Amino acid sequence: MVTVYDVAQACGLSIASVSRALNGQVGVSQATAERILRTADELGYQRNEVARSLVAKSTQTIALLVPDITNPFFPELVKGVQSVADENDLLLLLLDAPTDAETLRPRLAALRRKQVDGILLVASALDDDMAHLFGDTPAVLLDRGHSGVHATVGVDQEAAGYDATRHLLAAGHIRIGHIAGPAELSVAHARRAGWRRALEEAGLPAGEELVASGDFEEEGGHRAGQELLDRVPDLTAVFAANDLSAIGFLALCAERSIRVPDEMSVIGIDGIELARYTTPALTTIAQPIRELGAAACRSLLAQIDADSSVPDVTLPTVLMPGASVRARGGSR
Ligand code: RIB
């Protein structure tokens, strides 16, 4: 095995100089450090990451916890985080984000024992007394936040629900159902609040009979859609809280020979790539998914470097027109 001694011999330098260069410390010129690193690579020297971590007081590792990696939203989010981790030579640990606090607690504790430099969490299960769970490990909440715990990077969820519903109202629809997200998620409540605000501003009823709860997956969209259509047969439009729920509802409409958009307009939220390839293509309120991941990672790195809290970051959504919404009465 090639050691620091071998590298020092090959460079004709002291072990101390070579160690400083290999650990990115000051005390050697840039040219000398580059010569040392080049020689180390040529000899096949493998840095001892544990030793380096102890010296640098950094593991160069961050953790990202996301729920449901079967939902295309999250792999896109991971790509955004990964792009910034790569720019900063960081190892990214990807873990499942549990939806219950009892599973989340030990997972965060294990990451702290591993001395990760920071944690990014899509927080489905945070409650008020969980701030301490992160200890002194820098953390940023991503997409699903929790006020007062850590900075959150996401979109204005209530506005996204409002904009989706406004788009249907602008098309002349007045009987607009809502397939809500999971009842335990704050993002679901926020989007439903946006739906309600848009209807109330238009002087339209926004009663419980117009809402059915999904699970942010296709199956839940299909099931909640059945509930809605059986309960309120005069709906001419549905706002689904995320694209997968909308896709499940599109499948239900096809099964029931309900023509979209001629007889039923449908809009979602997320802007996942799959939404472009449904029949008809899904109109949706697109989140800047990859940018959210990148911005969250940058916020975390800023917090690590500054050793202080960082502000929330809210990125804009944008309407992604498809072919699933049509003006009531059939005209385009
Ligand atoms: O589709 C998954 C949903 O969960 C997205 O809308 C995203 O905001 C996340 O919270």
Side-chain angles (χ1 to χ4, degrees), residues 75-290:
E76 192 68 13
L77 199 67
V78 173
K79 285 179 180 179
V81 174
Q82 185 70 64
S83 65
V84 175
D86 290 346
E87 288 168 9
N88 293 274
D89 193 25
L90 292 170
L91 177 65
L92 178 63
L93 296 180
L94 180 60
L95 298 90
D96 173 61
T99 54
D100 65 292
E102 290 325 302
T103 308
L104 178 60
R105 290 174 195 274
R107 203 156 293 174
L108 292 179
L111 289 172
R112 284 171 47 206
R113 287 194 300 273
K114 285 290 184 186
Q115 299 285 314
V116 294
D117 293 341
I119 296 172
L120 291 167
L121 170 66
V122 176
S124 308
L126 276 192
D127 52 41
D128 290 334
D129 72 350
M130 292 184 78
H132 71 281
L133 283 176
F134 296 89
D136 55 3
T137 302
V140 167
L141 305 184
L142 176 52
D143 172 66
R144 299 174 190 174
H146 191 90
S147 60
V149 175
H150 279 285
T152 297
V153 176
V155 302
D156 182 333
Q157 304 289 357
E158 194 272 356
Y162 178 83
D163 292 345
T165 309
R166 285 291 310 161
H167 186 70
L168 295 172
L169 290 166
H173 296 282
I174 56 175
R175 293 292 282 165
I176 301 173
H178 177 44
I179 293 175
E184 69 275 11
L185 295 183
S186 58
V187 287
H189 291 292
R191 294 174 190 176
R192 179 170 175 167
W195 166 83
R196 185 181 310 111
R197 177 165 65 97
L199 289 182
E200 289 173 350
E201 279 183 2
L204 295 169
E208 293 301 306
E209 76 282 2
L210 293 171
V211 180
S213 281
D215 55 5
F216 270 169
E217 296 178 15
E218 299 91 326
E219 190 282 329
H222 189 279
R223 172 177 40 76
Q226 290 182 65
E227 191 183 324
L228 269 183
L229 294 181
D230 294 346
R231 187 195 306 155
V232 195
D234 66 339
L235 291 180
T236 65
V238 164
F239 155 45
N242 77 327
D243 287 351
L244 288 187
S245 302
I247 289 167
F249 181 64
L250 287 176
L252 174 70
C253 290
E255 288 168 17
R256 294 195 176 190
S257 303
I258 297 172
R259 288 178 293 120
V260 177
D262 296 346
E263 297 171 309
M264 177 67 71
S265 285
V266 183
I267 191 168
I269 290 180
D270 279 348
I272 59 174
E273 189 71 9
L274 184 61
R276 294 172 50 199
Y277 299 99
T278 53
T279 304
L282 179 65
T283 298
T284 185
I285 301 295
Q287 298 194 60
I289 306 171
R290 201 170 290 201

